[in-house]
């Protein structure tokens, strides 16, 4: 028997989409805080919690951030951008720290979606990660891992696709 | 106002723990499949889905896997171990692929927890990743990223802790 909690959870995972067009209304501060809170509770090796955040609402700073990616339209159109950094001072193993930050980002995307907000995980901007750090004045100890745009969706629901589970299973013992 | 869906989601994130001691009963095949299904629906750069899985139930193979980590007790005591690999053939950017696999792992941990199952994300075994690949006969294209143990918890509920949100926010604009 499927429990409602379990079913709701799987539905949240499967129905999340990358949203690139947003309404003008901004999420409230407490909504943004809950999304960061979800990220904060991710697991990490040795519980080292190597994630750090910069929240950008200011339109002028956001437009400067947008200039650092070919997906400028997504950042300019979103009311909020959350920049996620790896703190090299907390790092103990680069691969494991990056895995942990992936878990942290996924917590945030899912938490946003569960509360009716939309996100887009932007990676191409990592080509200009040093420029992002300089713009946000975060110092050399912090390396950009992703930017997440956040707001209310102004897109129609779309389908997405994944490889079959069978094709992802290399072996069973 | 908090919606039940949103609240249940945050509760799932905050109440998940690493569990290192398991009951003897094994999760059913359809429960394992739902956890892999949750992993399958993670986001990835260019939707490249670089994650691959090996499920280990067989006690002999599992005990050989356990010999490759100092956390042998956790693997030997768990009815199931799921090994997660990066497929270098699907890779387009190592950092972004590893972030995506972190998201995939987190989906699996949360999905397990939402259905009353317990997990432990093991990273120390990456010190012997080539030996794990050889044991599971996965070939040189696949690099071990983590092992997740899976079963029913045989531990008391424990508290966990995280850095304050304030200490994680580098700046707000």
């Amino acid at each position: 028997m499927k429990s409602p909690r379990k079913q709701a959870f799987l539905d949240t995972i499967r129905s999340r989409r990358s949203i690139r067009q947003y309404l003008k209304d901004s999420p409230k501060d407490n909504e943004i805080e809950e999304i960061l809170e979800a990220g904060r509770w991710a697991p990490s090796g040795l519980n080292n919690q190597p994630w750090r955040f910069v929240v950008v609402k200011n339109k002028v700073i956001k437009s400067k951030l947008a200039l650092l990616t070919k997906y400028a339209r997504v950042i300019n159109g979103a009311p909020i951008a959350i920049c996620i950094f790896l703190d090299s001072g907390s790092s103990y193993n680069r691969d494991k720290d990056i895995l942990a930050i992936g878990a942290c980002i996924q917590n945030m995307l899912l938490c946003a979606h569960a509360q009716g907000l939309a996100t887009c995980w932007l990676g191409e901007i990592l080509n200009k990660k040093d420029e992002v750090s300089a713009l946000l004045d975060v110092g050399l100890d912090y390396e950009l891992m992703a930017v997440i745009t956040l707001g209310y969706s102004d897109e129609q629901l779309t389908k997405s696709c994944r490889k079959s589970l069978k094709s992802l299973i290399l072996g069973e013992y």
Side-chain angles (χ1 to χ4, degrees), chain A:
Chain A
M1 209 180 72
K2 300 200 175 207
S3 76
R5 186 185 182 199
K6 170 182 162 188
Q7 196 53 50
F9 187 81
L10 276 173
D11 288 349
T12 300
I13 284 186
R14 286 207 196 96
S15 60
R16 186 205 52 79
R17 295 287 177 275
S18 293
I19 298 295
R20 296 174 180 83
Q21 200 161 311
Y22 298 90
L23 298 174
K24 285 193 175 169
D25 293 340
S26 179
K28 296 186 184 68
D29 283 350
N30 69 315
E31 292 176 310
I32 300 166
E33 193 173 313
E34 290 201 349
I35 289 165
L36 298 174
E37 178 71 10
R40 185 170 84 95
W41 277 94
S44 54
L46 310 180
N47 198 19
N48 73 333
Q49 307 165 62
W51 40 77
R52 297 294 182 273
F53 310 116
V54 174
V55 179
V56 182
K57 304 175 200 173
N58 180 285
K59 282 190 181 176
V60 177
I61 304 290
K62 197 155 58 60
S63 68
K64 288 183 180 173
L65 186 66
L67 287 174
L68 299 172
T69 165
K70 65 182 183 183
Y71 299 105
R73 190 182 60 79
V74 183
I75 293 183
N76 279 321
I80 311 282
I82 300 174
C83 304
I84 297 100
F85 293 86
L86 167 63
D87 172 22
S88 64
S90 301
S91 179
Y92 84 107
N93 174 298
R94 186 175 167 83
D95 283 359
K96 292 179 194 175
D97 293 329
I98 295 177
L99 285 166
I101 288 177
C104 166
I105 293 170
Q106 183 65 358
N107 270 8
M108 293 197 283
L109 301 185
L110 291 174
C111 180
H113 180 51
Q115 61 185 294
L117 294 169
T119 57
C120 188
W121 177 346
L122 299 171
E124 190 266 352
I125 197 169
L126 300 191
N127 294 332
K128 299 275 178 71
K129 58 187 173 185
D130 294 341
E131 291 88 334
V132 173
S133 292
L135 172 68
L136 301 176
D137 196 24
V138 297
L140 296 173
D141 285 348
Y142 304 99
E143 178 186 354
L144 187 69
M145 289 281 121
V147 174
I148 299 173
T149 50
L150 174 67
Y152 292 96
S153 174
D154 191 25
E155 286 185 20
Q156 298 296 314
L157 282 180
T158 56
K159 289 205 173 181
S160 187
C161 62
R162 292 294 186 277
K163 290 169 182 165
S164 72
L165 190 50
K166 198 176 165 186
S167 72
L168 299 174
I169 298 177
L170 301 176
E172 293 186 80
Y173 294 92

